[in-house]
Amino acid sequence: MKDARALGGPDDTGAADLASCDREPIHVPGAIQPHGLLFAFAEGDLRTISVSANLQDLLGLPAETVLDRPIEATFEPASVEQLRVALRQSEGPAGVPVAMPLRTGGPFAFDGVVHRHDGLVLLEFEPRGEPSDGAHAFFRRTSGAIRRLQAARTLADACAAAAREVRQITGFDRVKVYRFAADFSGEVIAESRDEAIESFLGLHFPPSDIPAQARALYALNPVRIIPDIAYRPAPMAPNRHPSTGRPIDLSFAVLRSVSPIHLEYMRNMGIRGTMSVSILRGDRLWGLIACHNRLPRHVGHDARQACEMVAQVLAWQIGVMEEDAVTRHSLKGKAIQRRLLSDIEELRDHRAGLIGNSEALLELMGASGLCLYGRDGVTTIGRTPPTAVIERIVDWAIRAEGAELFQTDRLPLLFPEAQDYVDVAAGVLAVPLSRSPPHRVMLWFRPEVAQTVRWGGNPEKAVEPGPDGARLQPRKSFAAWTEESRGRSIPWQPHEIVAAVELRELVIDVILRKAEELESVNVQLARSNEELESFAYVASHDLKEPLRHIEAFAGLLSESIGRSGDTRLGAMVGGIESSSRRLRNLINDLAEFSRLGRQAQPPAPTALDEIVREVMDDLRQRIDETRATVTCAPLPTVQCDRNQVRQVLQNLLANALKYRHPDRPCTIRIVAEVETEGPHRDADAFVRVLVADNGIGFDPKYAEQVFEPFQRLHGPDEYEGSGIGLAICRKIIQRHGGKVGVETAPGAGATFWFSLPLATGRDGVPTSPGASSGIDQV
């Protein structure tokens, strides 16, 4: 594994050593691997502020001849200009290949890569690899790998294909795909290797093999290579940032030296050359493509780029497969909800409805038992603990977690009394049906699943003390070590938790609403599913493809007509293009509307101030263009899905900017107030967030209509938009158990508001407005 670190033993001293390992600043090692060179320049004037100490050995240049001198003193002026162009065109810290011959002339058998980071420009040189066949060969190699990866139909096939492709590109003895678990332990799930090297396929490795700071670097810098672990580091001279005085940050440097303990770990594994490529799902480190070689091995920049592309395509394939599974699960859940509502309406009894759909409900959640618990009765479905035990579990879970959702896949570890019932309740997911006593709770149970885990060495001996006891040593044995895991169930997946919350919301509606409201809920749910299915079919098969053709042909016509000078036809084609853009925006809004349920995440404590800052940063250009004044009072921490509430605030703030009054400066206020009246007054504390503007406003009789899909009060030529934004806002807030509304008058502006549950602090007391710093924006 990469950047492996030592762990302490089971005693207190070992735990302290582990903590210190996780804090080691491996991003500032102060040295590089000596097969290459590294120059550090001030980003403004490209003055050389540091260079690796092996400059004399590799190029025969004393360090003092380049330090504190302009870059033109060392490299040819023409190449320096090309480097400046590359820096202007590059984005972020990604490395860009550059050719940088020395001003002194002579042979220079190094390839250059430049990137900027932390106010510095870092220029790295590596030994020139085998001659490349050019861009066409690179395209053939990568496009073939991409096609083979896209042909995979399962996760195992996709990972195996990625391992084969990377090994073919790089020539390493062993290439493995390593997946992280929730606790950051890892498993080798695919492998391509030379028959003469040991197989690691199916082995697990403890979290200590890749500590937290190493995982953070993998998320930042996706490619890591150590051609020869027997190297002696070449220090940076001087190792000091001229502006901050801190060591130079080499997080994005390919040549960055690594921890000596990691090198020892590789030696214990019998490896001399190694490379890794991160598999990233968004910003999350999903896993690694790890490469090992028994002899030193260097892989050039082009081949590394090809491997990085393979990892990106693999991550995309993983995302497609995960999204497909979540979508199918969501659609199945919606269908079950629809049948459940229908049965409850017919039977006039929600418990009877649950029992009638018990098989489908248990299959949906992958559970062996379901319990609807309340002081007014207990209904059990499938295999569950005795009622008396369920009551103690409910009381314990409420005390442990308050009124929020509780879930675990190892109940006996947290609640020892459950040890006697691991055959039915090793895992439990509890979602409350009420926010105040008497408590009503829906509980899902999963049985123990005995697992045999093959570890790459004993995970309890991840490290061994050194001879003098002064520091910890990485373990020396990676022989398969088998462990029987007991008392645990299959973990609850995020989309299963979302499905349970949605079922909870359905049951709450049934319990609290009158019988005549059930029909309305059923119609709305059926319509929502019909809209989703209709959109998926129409957008995918009937709209998007012909729309692309229309846009392409309109573009060609526009170019042709522009040369002819026919203004009448040009205006007609312009109308086609404008209509196409509106249609594409409508399709995208529909897609967003249909994805709300599938992409929802379990609520978590979230600072509204942070969300407002992000939204205002996103809308910065629009705020500046309209010269709007936006003020935000201190906002509280709420219990919500961060991404969805951010979308609500972005929609409301964008609307306030769009519908500003032409005769007065646009002012927008964002404030919050704890609800003391209304639908939440007898429940846990809710906060009402208000977005008030002084815009054009509208007739209050449309206050409910504006939240319906496709309802517009203005023509599309007057104000752009699809009429779905406020419908999305209402759908999101309702999913959080809140309400949404508006107070307005023509010409007097509008105040849109929505309510969300306040997050509770450590003492169980809800946070309130005023706890945050607040925002002022002009």
Side-chain angles (χ1 to χ4, degrees):
M1 300 303 99
K2 302 302 180 187
D3 283 315
R5 303 306 319 279
L7 261 179
D11 59 348
D12 292 339
T13 302
D17 288 336
L18 173 59
S20 64
C21 285
D22 275 337
R23 289 193 298 268
E24 182 180 356
I26 61 177
H27 63 298
V28 285
I32 67 166
Q33 301 176 55
H35 65 279
L37 292 166
L38 192 148
F39 289 78
F41 307 101
E43 189 169 10
D45 56 8
L46 293 185
R47 175 177 50 86
T48 307
I49 59 97
S50 182
V51 68
S52 56
N54 58 345
L55 179 66
Q56 175 79 47
D57 297 334
L58 295 185
L59 296 184
L61 293 175
E64 56 268 20
T65 64
V66 301
L67 284 173
D68 203 29
R69 301 190 64 190
I71 188 174
E72 290 85 356
T74 307
F75 299 96
E76 289 186 355
S79 63
V80 172
E81 182 57 32
Q82 292 175 358
L83 181 141
R84 294 181 188 274
V85 171
L87 289 174
R88 286 196 296 269
Q89 294 176 346
S90 65
E91 296 181 3
V96 178
V98 290
M100 297 293 294
L102 293 172
R103 190 180 184 94
T104 57
F108 188 65
F110 291 90
D111 292 322
V113 176
V114 65
H115 72 274
R116 62 163 69 91
H117 178 57
D118 195 27
L120 299 179
V121 172
L122 301 176
L123 178 59
E124 301 181 79
F125 291 103
E126 296 181 79
R128 186 161 293 156
E130 299 177 358
S132 173
D133 294 331
H136 291 294
F138 178 84
F139 175 76
R140 287 195 302 272
R141 177 167 57 188
T142 54
S143 62
I146 289 171
R147 284 196 303 271
R148 288 185 287 273
L149 268 172
Q150 290 177 330
R153 291 292 175 264
T154 66
L155 177 63
D157 290 344
C159 293
R164 288 193 302 270
E165 297 298 337
V166 170
R167 183 165 175 244
Q168 183 177 3
I169 293 170
T170 62
F172 276 94
D173 292 335
R174 177 174 58 219
V175 176
K176 58 187 183 180
V177 176
Y178 181 91
R179 176 175 60 185
F180 288 107
D183 62 354
F184 298 112
S185 63
E187 178 188 2
V188 178
I189 61 174
E191 181 181 73
S192 176
R193 65 183 175 91
D194 186 293
E195 291 298 326
I197 195 170
E198 180 185 7
S199 173
F200 282 177
L201 183 62
L203 293 185
H204 293 245
F205 294 84
S208 58
D209 279 16
I210 306 180
Q213 80 277 36
R215 294 193 300 269
L217 275 182
Y218 284 126
L220 288 174
N221 191 359
V223 179
R224 190 82 183 93
I225 182 166
I226 310 172
D228 187 355
I229 67 168
Y231 73 87
R232 297 184 63 182
M236 296 298 297
N239 182 33
R240 187 179 67 85
H241 194 297
S243 300
T244 65
R246 296 192 298 264
I248 296 175
D249 189 341
L250 299 180
S251 296
F252 297 94
V254 175
L255 295 171
R256 175 175 58 84
S257 187
V258 299
S259 167
I261 298 178
H262 170 56
L263 300 178
E264 188 170 350
Y265 185 98
M266 289 290 109
R267 282 194 292 272
N268 293 345
M269 195 181 284
I271 297 304
R272 286 290 300 276
T274 176
M275 186 181 84
S276 70
V277 186
S278 303
I279 305 170
L280 296 168
R281 293 279 292 113
D283 295 331
R284 177 175 64 90
L285 184 63
W286 185 92
L288 298 171
I289 300 177
C291 310
H292 295 157
N293 213 64
R294 291 163 293 179
L295 297 175
R297 185 164 192 82
H298 181 262
V299 177
H301 182 266
D302 285 352
R304 296 200 301 265
Q305 275 196 318
C307 295
E308 186 176 359
M309 186 172 295
V310 169
Q312 290 171 351
V313 175
L314 175 59
W316 180 83
Q317 280 287 84
I318 293 169
V320 169
M321 293 173 182
E322 290 179 351
E323 180 67 19
D324 180 64
V326 171
T327 299
R328 286 187 280 107
H329 188 271
S330 177
L331 291 175
K332 181 188 293 186
K334 298 296 185 184
I336 292 173
Q337 290 181 44
R338 197 160 56 233
R339 291 199 304 270
L340 180 59
L341 276 173
S342 177
D343 290 350
I344 290 174
E345 181 180 355
E346 181 179 348
L347 298 171
R348 302 292 181 180
D349 184 343
H350 64 276
R351 297 179 186 273
L354 289 171
I355 294 173
N357 291 272
S358 59
E359 185 175 343
L361 289 168
L362 294 178
E363 180 185 0
L364 173 70
M365 294 298 298
S368 59
L370 165 64
C371 173
L372 196 62
Y373 172 87
R375 299 301 181 187
D376 54 344
V378 177
T379 300
T380 59
I381 296 171
R383 301 172 61 229
T384 66
T387 300
V389 175
I390 292 175
E391 182 170 354
R392 290 194 290 275
I393 291 175
V394 170
D395 291 341
W396 169 79
I398 290 174
R399 287 196 306 273
E401 297 293 325
E404 300 303 324
L405 177 147
F406 172 80
Q407 62 93 12
T408 181
D409 63 348
R410 54 192 82 183
L411 183 61
L413 181 65
L414 304 175
F415 186 62
E417 185 179 345
Q419 184 63 50
D420 296 334
Y421 303 97
V422 292
D423 58 330
V424 294
V428 63
L429 171 61
V431 289
L433 301 178
S434 62
R435 296 184 178 274
S436 58
H439 294 292
R440 293 189 178 92
V441 184
M442 178 182 287
L443 301 102
W444 304 87
F445 296 101
R446 280 180 174 170
E448 172 190 63
V449 177
Q451 300 180 23
T452 300
V453 180
R454 294 176 65 244
W455 294 91
N458 186 344
E460 300 300 327
K461 295 183 179 180
V463 294
E464 300 174 359
D468 56 0
R471 70 178 180 90
L472 298 175
Q473 307 287 336
R475 64 172 180 270
K476 296 179 173 59
S477 174
F478 294 88
W481 189 88
T482 302
E483 177 188 36
E484 289 290 334
S485 175
R486 308 290 304 216
R488 297 182 61 176
S489 71
I490 297 174
W492 303 96
Q493 297 300 316
H495 61 273
E496 293 172 335
I497 295 174
V498 170
V501 171
E502 289 180 343
L503 285 169
R504 181 270 304 271
E505 292 172 352
L506 184 149
V507 174
I508 289 176
D509 285 344
V510 171
I511 293 174
L512 300 180
R513 293 184 181 182
K514 298 178 181 179
E516 57 266 27
E517 292 179 315
L518 288 175
E519 183 177 359
S520 174
V521 172
N522 192 24
V523 170
Q524 291 178 6
L525 185 60
R527 186 176 63 191
S528 176
N529 281 276
E530 290 169 2
E531 289 172 354
L532 176 61
E533 295 165 1
S534 175
F535 164 74
Y537 177 80
V538 174
S540 300
H541 299 284
D542 292 346
L543 289 180
K544 284 191 173 181
E545 186 61 29
L547 182 58
R548 280 193 288 266
H549 288 294
I550 290 172
E551 291 175 336
F553 286 132
L556 293 173
L557 279 173
S558 181
E559 292 178 4
S560 176
I561 293 170
R563 291 192 295 269
S564 69
D566 191 328
T567 57
R568 178 174 173 272
L569 286 177
M572 294 172 64
V573 173
I576 294 174
E577 292 177 321
S578 176
S579 297
S580 298
R581 285 193 298 271
R582 285 202 297 268
L583 181 55
R584 179 167 295 279
N585 290 337
L586 175 60
I587 292 173
N588 291 337
D589 287 344
L590 284 170
E592 191 66 39
F593 186 73
S594 66
R595 282 197 299 265
L596 287 177
R598 292 178 290 163
Q599 293 184 341
Q601 297 296 319
T606 305
L608 282 176
D609 276 345
E610 296 178 3
I611 299 179
V612 172
R613 288 190 187 97
E614 294 172 3
V615 170
M616 290 171 65
D617 287 340
D618 290 344
L619 297 174
R620 174 72 59 189
Q621 181 177 354
R622 184 64 171 159
I623 292 173
D624 293 341
E625 289 174 352
T626 58
R627 298 183 179 179
T629 300
V630 184
T631 59
C632 181
L635 300 178
T637 297
V638 298
Q639 196 76 7
C640 71
D641 180 330
R642 181 188 185 95
N643 290 333
Q644 289 196 346
V645 172
R646 174 177 174 171
Q647 185 175 2
V648 170
L649 282 166
Q650 183 141 354
N651 285 353
L652 295 181
L653 192 56
N655 274 358
L657 293 169
K658 181 195 301 185
Y659 296 108
R660 63 190 182 278
H661 200 287
D663 298 327
R664 53 177 175 257
C666 177
T667 61
I668 303 170
R669 293 184 304 107
I670 305 174
V671 297
E673 56 188 31
V674 176
E675 290 192 352
T676 57
E677 297 181 350
H680 306 299
R681 61 183 182 274
D682 296 326
D684 285 351
F686 269 64
V687 66
R688 178 175 289 196
V689 181
L690 301 91
V691 179
D693 64 65
N694 65 340
I696 61 175
F698 57 89
D699 193 322
K701 71 180 182 181
Y702 299 113
E704 289 294 327
Q705 179 180 331
V706 294
F707 293 101
E708 294 293 333
F710 311 112
Q711 297 300 313
R712 297 175 51 88
L713 304 182
H714 307 278
D717 294 331
E718 189 176 358
Y719 291 96
E720 290 186 358
S722 61
I724 298 180
L726 291 178
I728 290 175
C729 293
R730 181 174 66 175
K731 190 172 183 181
I732 289 173
I733 297 303
Q734 286 178 343
R735 291 180 59 81
H736 286 75
K739 300 290 183 181
V740 65
V742 61
E743 298 171 5
T744 182
T751 299
F752 284 86
W753 59 266
F754 59 90
S755 58
L756 290 171
L758 280 168
T760 55
R762 292 182 179 178
D763 56 0
V765 178
T767 63
S768 60
S772 302
S773 60
I775 304 170
D776 289 305
Q777 168 68 38
V778 178

